[in-house]
Amino acid sequence: MTATDPDKQQILSATGDDLTTLIHHHSTDVLLALLDNPALDETQLCLLLDRKDLPVEVLAEVSSRKNLLKNYRVKRALAFHPHTPRLASMRLIKDLYLMDLAQLALTVGAPPELKRIAEDQLLARLAQLPLGQKITLARRGPGRVAGALLAEGHPQILSVVLDNAYLTEAQVLKALARDKLSPAVGHAIAQHRRWSCVYNVRLALIRTPGTTLATILAFLPELHASDLHDLSAPGIVSEPLRKYLRAELDRRSQT
């Protein structure tokens, strides 16, 4: 502390407006001492943790105090703070509620490692979630989670997950590549206004056993000849479908 900073007793006894002023103090030593002020309640502490310029030392000290971590709002504020020490953040993520995990996984600027852990936590909880929460995640969860929900194939989930803004082509292709995929998944993708127009998704749908012949025949005129050749090789698709692919190649060779 400097000569102009409040002394320890002033910090420990501050209340009301004086306490609020100290929460915005520039000195790390003042802020560390403030953590021992009995008037620093949950609301005031979260106000402190809202400071994006909060020194790492203060964040580390808060994250080391078990009595402070009993409060969920404090845990959440620490987990979301960009300067919380990495190991502390990793521990805190495991205690976050479902939609807070989803929000963290989608937070712009959050460390990729922490976003990945948040996604892993969501994926680990999926099997135990009630349908309502799954639908909420399907609507606005991160891409990996949306992809996992897509692969589950629940009709009420399919109706919303394909519209998820974070669902990627890679996740859709991953779902289509799964063994024992419900035919409903391929059908929903083939009917979707966005995904049915993606070239690589069309190729994957042709390889997917549950895709209807009508859908495949609608795709064939748009396929590159090289892809038709590859798909018509023995063992790639069923023999009846292979005949249609060969017929399309023959048609093109005659024009």
Side-chain angles (χ1 to χ4, degrees):
M1 296 186 189
T2 67
T4 57
D5 288 335
D7 60 32
K8 185 69 174 288
Q9 188 54 44
Q10 289 176 308
I11 298 170
L12 293 178
S13 61
T15 58
D17 291 342
D18 291 336
L19 180 58
T20 301
T21 299
L22 289 175
I23 284 172
H24 297 283
H25 203 280
H26 66 278
S27 168
T28 299
D29 290 336
V30 169
L31 297 176
L32 287 171
L34 189 61
L35 296 178
D36 293 319
N37 184 316
L40 188 73
D41 59 16
E42 168 195 336
T43 300
Q44 298 281 11
L45 180 54
C46 287
L47 184 62
L48 174 65
L49 294 173
D50 279 341
R51 284 182 53 178
K52 300 307 178 190
D53 64 341
L54 199 61
V56 173
E57 294 88 345
V58 178
L59 290 159
E61 181 62 24
V62 174
S63 65
S64 71
R65 297 195 181 192
K66 292 182 179 180
N67 63 310
L68 298 180
L69 296 181
K70 291 178 181 178
N71 186 284
Y72 181 78
R73 284 182 62 196
V74 173
K75 281 186 179 181
R76 185 188 183 282
L78 281 169
F80 275 79
H81 199 286
H83 301 138
T84 298
R86 170 178 164 273
L87 291 179
S89 294
M90 291 171 66
R91 290 194 302 270
L92 292 164
I93 286 174
K94 297 176 182 179
D95 294 328
L96 292 182
Y97 295 156
L98 191 74
M99 295 315 298
D100 285 332
L101 283 171
Q103 184 180 341
L104 180 59
L106 296 171
T107 298
V108 176
E113 181 183 24
L114 297 185
K115 294 171 77 167
R116 181 83 179 188
I117 293 172
E119 288 182 349
D120 288 343
Q121 285 290 310
L122 288 168
L123 291 169
R125 298 182 193 182
L126 281 186
Q128 287 76 42
L129 294 181
L131 180 60
Q133 288 185 321
K134 286 187 177 185
I135 291 173
T136 300
L137 280 177
R139 183 172 289 112
R140 59 177 189 268
R144 287 174 64 210
V145 176
L149 289 168
L150 172 63
E152 283 190 0
H154 193 288
Q156 289 177 263
I157 292 175
L158 289 176
S159 65
V160 296
V161 73
L162 289 170
D163 289 329
N164 183 307
Y166 303 104
L167 183 65
T168 65
E169 179 181 329
Q171 293 298 335
V172 173
L173 295 175
K174 184 177 179 180
L176 286 172
R178 286 199 178 194
D179 294 332
K180 300 179 181 178
L181 186 71
S182 167
V185 177
H187 180 73
I189 294 171
Q191 299 300 314
H192 194 267
R193 61 191 179 281
R194 173 188 175 191
W195 296 113
S196 62
C197 296
V198 176
Y199 187 84
N200 287 330
V201 172
R202 289 185 169 189
L203 289 179
L205 283 167
I206 292 173
R207 293 188 180 94
T208 302
T211 306
T212 65
L213 180 59
T215 296
I216 293 173
L217 293 179
F219 291 163
L220 293 189
E222 308 299 326
L223 295 188
H224 301 151
S226 59
D227 290 321
L228 281 171
H229 276 292
D230 292 342
L231 288 168
S232 62
I236 303 298
V237 297
S238 67
E239 202 56 35
L241 177 55
R242 184 168 173 252
K243 292 179 181 179
Y244 284 102
L245 298 175
R246 298 303 306 175
E248 176 64 20
L249 284 170
D250 290 342
R251 184 188 67 79
R252 294 190 191 187
S253 67
Q254 295 170 8
T255 58

